[in-house]
Amino acid sequence: MRRGFILAFLLGGLLFAQVSGGYDYVQQMPAGAIDWTRGVVKATGIGAPNPDVPLAAQRAGALRAAKLDALRNILETIKGVYIDAETTIENAMTVSDVIKTKINGIVRNFTVTDIRYMSDGSIEVDVEVPLTGEMINTLLPQQVGMNSPLVQPQAGGIFTGLIIDARGFKVQPAMAPKIVTPDGVEVYGTGFVSREYAVEMGIAGYAKNIEQARNDDRVKPNPLIIKAIGVTGPNKTDIIISPNDAMRLHQYSENLKFLEQCRVMIIVD
């Protein structure tokens, strides 16, 4: 009887992990992590109680210390996020005081997702900051959606989104990746998106496998699936597809519409 209970408990835990995002594509960083499926940066802060203050004030002090530690960790993690094939958020903050001020303000408004009170009196705080919204709006080029399609599109189209299978090329996730032809012509990226959708959703989502990508609300129910043929750029964020697939993608007006709406998922290793 007890064995059956334990089995049921373990199966229930597995189901919970699946439902709660256990299969998200998460990139571990030295001070935190980037959940590229959900589009958030996460970090943890730890605060210890000060034994020199009254007992009643120790918990509040430990919580403040944990939040400050979390702030440092999440800012360090965000600085390492790739914006595109050549730039990180830290690079952008270095060259622009305006961007630096805005990013620092966004990070200070982090969301606390969990607080753990430890037996030794210390406190752990989990926090997160979205890469969408004000973050990507601050970092996007001033002009987006200005590129023309490779061919004159025909009316119609049956697909609801795009999945790029980029496994095997060690593609690195980025906030503004591009899909290009072998000769470097942009097929998808900031040149084909609506700023409104890019700010709301991000330019692309990332997944670990084809099933996860197919079931993502971003592209379902009938995504077009294209296999990448390579990766390019110093940061290895931009994906190469064949000229035939590029033409097929731009062939129909409905395809250009879902590109404009950022309905793109990328499968990475």
Side-chain angles (χ1 to χ4, degrees), residues 41 71 74-75 78 89 93 98-111 128-139 175:
V41 178
L71 176 61
I74 202 162
L75 181 58
I78 282 172
I89 290 182
M93 294 173 69
V98 173
I99 290 177
K100 181 178 180 180
T101 299
K102 288 184 176 181
I103 297 299
N104 282 331
I106 292 167
V107 174
R108 287 193 185 95
N109 287 322
F110 60 69
T111 298
E128 66 180 33
V129 172
L131 290 174
T132 52
E134 279 305 305
M135 181 75 74
I136 193 170
N137 191 43
T138 299
L139 298 167
M175 296 178 70

Short mmCIF file of all heavy atoms in Angstrom, two decimals, residues 41 71 74-75 78 89 93 98-111 128-139 175:
data_model
loop_
_atom_site.label_atom_id
_atom_site.label_comp_id
_atom_site.label_asym_id
_atom_site.label_seq_id
_atom_site.Cartn_x
_atom_site.Cartn_y
_atom_site.Cartn_z
N VAL A 41 14.23 36.76 -16.88
CA VAL A 41 15.52 36.54 -16.24
C VAL A 41 15.25 36.31 -14.75
O VAL A 41 14.46 37.04 -14.13
CB VAL A 41 16.46 37.73 -16.44
CG1 VAL A 41 17.78 37.51 -15.72
CG2 VAL A 41 16.69 37.96 -17.92
N LEU A 71 19.04 41.73 -6.29
CA LEU A 71 19.16 42.83 -7.25
C LEU A 71 20.53 42.80 -7.94
O LEU A 71 20.63 42.93 -9.16
CB LEU A 71 18.97 44.17 -6.54
CG LEU A 71 19.15 45.42 -7.39
CD1 LEU A 71 18.16 45.46 -8.55
CD2 LEU A 71 19.04 46.68 -6.54
N ILE A 74 20.58 39.64 -10.33
CA ILE A 74 19.76 39.69 -11.54
C ILE A 74 20.29 40.75 -12.51
O ILE A 74 20.22 40.57 -13.74
CB ILE A 74 18.26 39.91 -11.21
CG1 ILE A 74 17.41 39.42 -12.39
CG2 ILE A 74 17.96 41.36 -10.86
CD1 ILE A 74 15.97 39.18 -12.04
N LEU A 75 20.86 41.83 -11.99
CA LEU A 75 21.46 42.83 -12.87
C LEU A 75 22.67 42.25 -13.58
O LEU A 75 22.85 42.45 -14.80
CB LEU A 75 21.87 44.08 -12.07
CG LEU A 75 22.49 45.21 -12.89
CD1 LEU A 75 21.56 45.68 -13.99
CD2 LEU A 75 22.88 46.37 -11.99
N ILE A 78 21.33 39.91 -16.31
CA ILE A 78 20.74 40.64 -17.43
C ILE A 78 21.82 41.24 -18.32
O ILE A 78 21.68 41.27 -19.55
CB ILE A 78 19.77 41.72 -16.91
CG1 ILE A 78 18.45 41.06 -16.50
CG2 ILE A 78 19.52 42.81 -17.94
CD1 ILE A 78 17.48 41.97 -15.80
N ILE A 89 23.39 43.13 -23.50
CA ILE A 89 22.77 44.26 -22.79
C ILE A 89 23.85 45.10 -22.11
O ILE A 89 23.76 46.33 -22.07
CB ILE A 89 21.72 43.76 -21.79
CG1 ILE A 89 20.50 43.20 -22.54
CG2 ILE A 89 21.28 44.89 -20.85
CD1 ILE A 89 19.38 42.72 -21.66
N MET A 93 24.39 49.14 -22.45
CA MET A 93 24.44 50.02 -21.28
C MET A 93 25.73 50.83 -21.26
O MET A 93 25.75 51.97 -20.79
CB MET A 93 24.29 49.20 -20.01
CG MET A 93 22.93 48.53 -19.85
SD MET A 93 22.86 47.40 -18.43
CE MET A 93 22.94 48.56 -17.06
N VAL A 98 21.48 56.68 -21.39
CA VAL A 98 20.01 56.61 -21.36
C VAL A 98 19.56 55.17 -21.17
O VAL A 98 18.70 54.86 -20.33
CB VAL A 98 19.41 57.21 -22.64
CG1 VAL A 98 17.89 56.97 -22.68
CG2 VAL A 98 19.70 58.70 -22.72
N ILE A 99 20.13 54.27 -21.98
CA ILE A 99 19.78 52.85 -21.85
C ILE A 99 20.18 52.33 -20.48
O ILE A 99 19.42 51.59 -19.83
CB ILE A 99 20.46 52.03 -22.97
CG1 ILE A 99 19.81 52.36 -24.32
CG2 ILE A 99 20.37 50.53 -22.68
CD1 ILE A 99 20.44 51.66 -25.50
N LYS A 100 21.36 52.70 -20.00
CA LYS A 100 21.82 52.25 -18.69
C LYS A 100 20.84 52.65 -17.59
O LYS A 100 20.47 51.85 -16.73
CB LYS A 100 23.20 52.82 -18.39
CG LYS A 100 23.78 52.40 -17.06
CD LYS A 100 25.18 52.98 -16.86
CE LYS A 100 25.77 52.55 -15.52
NZ LYS A 100 27.12 53.11 -15.32
N THR A 101 20.40 53.90 -17.63
CA THR A 101 19.46 54.38 -16.62
C THR A 101 18.13 53.64 -16.69
O THR A 101 17.56 53.25 -15.66
CB THR A 101 19.22 55.90 -16.81
OG1 THR A 101 20.46 56.59 -16.66
CG2 THR A 101 18.23 56.43 -15.78
N LYS A 102 17.63 53.43 -17.92
CA LYS A 102 16.35 52.74 -18.07
C LYS A 102 16.43 51.28 -17.62
O LYS A 102 15.53 50.79 -16.92
CB LYS A 102 15.88 52.81 -19.52
CG LYS A 102 15.41 54.20 -19.94
CD LYS A 102 14.87 54.19 -21.37
CE LYS A 102 14.31 55.54 -21.75
NZ LYS A 102 13.76 55.56 -23.13
N ILE A 103 17.51 50.59 -17.99
CA ILE A 103 17.65 49.18 -17.60
C ILE A 103 17.77 49.06 -16.09
O ILE A 103 17.14 48.18 -15.47
CB ILE A 103 18.87 48.53 -18.30
CG1 ILE A 103 18.68 48.52 -19.82
CG2 ILE A 103 19.09 47.11 -17.77
CD1 ILE A 103 17.49 47.75 -20.31
N ASN A 104 18.55 49.92 -15.47
CA ASN A 104 18.68 49.88 -14.01
C ASN A 104 17.33 50.10 -13.33
O ASN A 104 17.01 49.44 -12.34
CB ASN A 104 19.68 50.93 -13.54
CG ASN A 104 21.13 50.52 -13.75
OD1 ASN A 104 21.45 49.34 -13.74
ND2 ASN A 104 22.01 51.49 -13.96
N GLY A 105 16.53 51.00 -13.89
CA GLY A 105 15.20 51.24 -13.32
C GLY A 105 14.28 50.05 -13.47
O GLY A 105 13.55 49.69 -12.55
N ILE A 106 14.33 49.41 -14.63
CA ILE A 106 13.50 48.21 -14.87
C ILE A 106 13.89 47.10 -13.91
O ILE A 106 13.02 46.44 -13.31
CB ILE A 106 13.66 47.74 -16.33
CG1 ILE A 106 13.04 48.76 -17.29
CG2 ILE A 106 13.01 46.37 -16.53
CD1 ILE A 106 13.42 48.54 -18.75
N VAL A 107 15.19 46.89 -13.73
CA VAL A 107 15.66 45.80 -12.87
C VAL A 107 15.27 46.04 -11.42
O VAL A 107 14.91 45.10 -10.69
CB VAL A 107 17.20 45.63 -13.02
CG1 VAL A 107 17.72 44.60 -12.02
CG2 VAL A 107 17.55 45.21 -14.43
N ARG A 108 15.32 47.28 -10.97
CA ARG A 108 14.95 47.58 -9.57
C ARG A 108 13.48 47.24 -9.29
O ARG A 108 13.10 47.03 -8.13
CB ARG A 108 15.22 49.05 -9.26
CG ARG A 108 16.70 49.38 -9.13
CD ARG A 108 16.90 50.75 -8.51
NE ARG A 108 18.30 51.11 -8.50
CZ ARG A 108 18.91 51.85 -9.44
NH1 ARG A 108 18.20 52.30 -10.48
NH2 ARG A 108 20.19 52.13 -9.35
N ASN A 109 12.68 47.22 -10.32
CA ASN A 109 11.26 46.87 -10.15
C ASN A 109 11.01 45.38 -10.35
O ASN A 109 9.95 44.98 -10.82
CB ASN A 109 10.41 47.68 -11.12
CG ASN A 109 10.29 49.12 -10.74
OD1 ASN A 109 10.20 49.45 -9.56
ND2 ASN A 109 10.34 50.02 -11.72
N PHE A 110 11.99 44.55 -9.99
CA PHE A 110 11.84 43.10 -10.14
C PHE A 110 10.63 42.60 -9.36
O PHE A 110 10.15 43.24 -8.41
CB PHE A 110 13.11 42.36 -9.68
CG PHE A 110 13.50 42.59 -8.24
CD1 PHE A 110 12.75 42.08 -7.18
CD2 PHE A 110 14.66 43.29 -7.93
CE1 PHE A 110 13.13 42.27 -5.87
CE2 PHE A 110 15.05 43.49 -6.61
CZ PHE A 110 14.28 42.97 -5.58
N THR A 111 10.15 41.42 -9.77
CA THR A 111 9.04 40.75 -9.09
C THR A 111 9.60 39.66 -8.20
O THR A 111 10.41 38.84 -8.63
CB THR A 111 8.08 40.12 -10.11
OG1 THR A 111 7.52 41.17 -10.93
CG2 THR A 111 6.95 39.38 -9.41
N GLU A 128 12.44 37.84 -10.50
CA GLU A 128 12.52 37.76 -11.96
C GLU A 128 12.16 39.09 -12.59
O GLU A 128 11.45 39.92 -12.00
CB GLU A 128 11.64 36.64 -12.52
CG GLU A 128 10.17 36.82 -12.35
CD GLU A 128 9.37 35.64 -12.94
OE1 GLU A 128 9.86 34.49 -12.90
OE2 GLU A 128 8.26 35.90 -13.43
N VAL A 129 12.67 39.27 -13.80
CA VAL A 129 12.41 40.48 -14.60
C VAL A 129 12.10 40.03 -16.02
O VAL A 129 12.84 39.21 -16.59
CB VAL A 129 13.64 41.42 -14.61
CG1 VAL A 129 13.43 42.56 -15.60
CG2 VAL A 129 13.90 41.98 -13.21
N PRO A 130 11.03 40.53 -16.63
CA PRO A 130 10.70 40.11 -18.01
C PRO A 130 11.63 40.76 -19.03
O PRO A 130 12.05 41.92 -18.86
CB PRO A 130 9.26 40.59 -18.19
CG PRO A 130 9.12 41.73 -17.25
CD PRO A 130 9.99 41.41 -16.07
N LEU A 131 11.94 40.02 -20.08
CA LEU A 131 12.70 40.57 -21.20
C LEU A 131 11.79 41.30 -22.19
O LEU A 131 12.28 42.03 -23.06
CB LEU A 131 13.46 39.46 -21.92
CG LEU A 131 14.63 38.84 -21.14
CD1 LEU A 131 15.20 37.65 -21.90
CD2 LEU A 131 15.71 39.87 -20.86
N THR A 132 10.49 41.08 -22.07
CA THR A 132 9.52 41.77 -22.92
C THR A 132 9.13 43.10 -22.27
O THR A 132 9.71 43.51 -21.27
CB THR A 132 8.28 40.89 -23.13
OG1 THR A 132 7.80 40.47 -21.84
CG2 THR A 132 8.62 39.67 -23.95
N GLY A 133 8.16 43.78 -22.85
CA GLY A 133 7.71 45.04 -22.28
C GLY A 133 8.78 46.12 -22.40
O GLY A 133 9.41 46.29 -23.44
N GLU A 134 8.99 46.85 -21.30
CA GLU A 134 9.89 47.98 -21.34
C GLU A 134 11.33 47.60 -21.65
O GLU A 134 12.08 48.38 -22.24
CB GLU A 134 9.83 48.74 -20.00
CG GLU A 134 8.66 49.68 -19.88
CD GLU A 134 8.60 50.68 -21.03
OE1 GLU A 134 9.61 51.38 -21.28
OE2 GLU A 134 7.57 50.75 -21.71
N MET A 135 11.72 46.38 -21.26
CA MET A 135 13.10 45.95 -21.51
C MET A 135 13.40 45.92 -23.01
O MET A 135 14.34 46.56 -23.50
CB MET A 135 13.35 44.57 -20.90
CG MET A 135 14.75 44.04 -21.07
SD MET A 135 15.95 44.82 -19.99
CE MET A 135 15.52 44.04 -18.42
N ILE A 136 12.61 45.16 -23.76
CA ILE A 136 12.89 45.06 -25.20
C ILE A 136 12.57 46.37 -25.91
O ILE A 136 13.24 46.74 -26.88
CB ILE A 136 12.14 43.87 -25.84
CG1 ILE A 136 12.69 43.59 -27.25
CG2 ILE A 136 10.63 44.10 -25.87
CD1 ILE A 136 12.18 42.30 -27.85
N ASN A 137 11.59 47.12 -25.43
CA ASN A 137 11.26 48.40 -26.04
C ASN A 137 12.43 49.36 -25.93
O ASN A 137 12.69 50.16 -26.85
CB ASN A 137 10.02 49.00 -25.38
CG ASN A 137 9.47 50.19 -26.15
OD1 ASN A 137 9.39 50.18 -27.37
ND2 ASN A 137 9.10 51.23 -25.43
N THR A 138 13.16 49.28 -24.83
CA THR A 138 14.34 50.13 -24.63
C THR A 138 15.48 49.75 -25.57
O THR A 138 16.24 50.61 -26.01
CB THR A 138 14.82 50.02 -23.16
OG1 THR A 138 13.78 50.47 -22.29
CG2 THR A 138 16.07 50.84 -22.92
N LEU A 139 15.57 48.46 -25.90
CA LEU A 139 16.74 47.96 -26.63
C LEU A 139 16.52 47.78 -28.13
O LEU A 139 17.48 47.64 -28.88
CB LEU A 139 17.17 46.62 -26.02
CG LEU A 139 17.61 46.70 -24.55
CD1 LEU A 139 17.71 45.30 -23.95
CD2 LEU A 139 18.93 47.44 -24.43
N MET A 175 17.56 38.28 -27.75
CA MET A 175 16.32 39.03 -27.75
C MET A 175 15.88 39.39 -29.16
O MET A 175 14.68 39.49 -29.43
CB MET A 175 16.49 40.30 -26.91
CG MET A 175 16.75 40.05 -25.43
SD MET A 175 16.98 41.58 -24.52
CE MET A 175 15.32 42.27 -24.56
#
